[in-house]
Amino acid sequence: ARPASVFHNGAFWTLLNNLADVTTSTPGVSADWQVCGGAWPIVPISTNTTAVPWTTYAFTGACTLTAPAISGNGKQFGVIVLPGVTGAIFAPAGSDKTRGSSGSKTIDAPFTAILTDSGATYGWM
């Protein structure tokens, strides 16, 4: 039951929803948890992936990272494109924007950024 917290994958997580069995919900995977301190988990990707907040995604090969839907609540996630990686693509969800413009963007290596949900006008910044 809330409030509960756990240290998992290098970060402290706060439980957002009461659960009958907390072992069925994994921090960083389930929306039941939110990072409240420590480092975000780093997830290497080389296949198309949909991002979840409070996680850093490291492109290790060509693929598309699709952002969560914009809600204007300031959620964040990280993006890293390792040196030598080509074909890294960032895609906002649906008609959402990235820095005020629509559509997918190719990311040249090396690249590192933390993206913040700023709301519908500018999207991910």
Side-chain angles (χ1 to χ4, degrees):
R2 295 181 307 143
S5 62
V6 66
F7 185 77
H8 178 75
N9 280 350
F12 290 96
W13 299 82
T14 299
L15 185 63
L16 301 175
N17 304 305
N18 291 326
L19 301 173
D21 181 0
V22 74
T23 64
T24 63
S25 180
T26 303
V29 176
S30 167
D32 294 321
W33 299 91
Q34 180 171 326
V35 167
C36 60
W40 297 346
I42 297 174
V43 177
I45 60 170
S46 58
T47 60
N48 295 348
T49 302
T50 300
V52 295
W54 319 116
T55 303
T56 296
Y57 295 90
F59 283 86
T60 60
C63 63
T64 298
L65 178 63
T66 302
I70 289 290
S71 61
N73 65 0
K75 63 186 171 276
Q76 296 179 316
F77 66 95
V79 177
I80 299 169
V81 181
L82 298 174
V85 172
T86 59
I89 298 171
F90 176 77
S95 61
D96 288 347
K97 297 177 182 175
T98 306
R99 298 181 181 152
S101 68
S102 299
S104 298
K105 314 283 187 274
T106 301
I107 310 170
D108 294 327
F111 178 85
T112 302
I114 294 175
L115 297 171
T116 302
D117 177 347
S118 71
T121 302
Y122 297 107
W124 291 102
M125 304 209 16

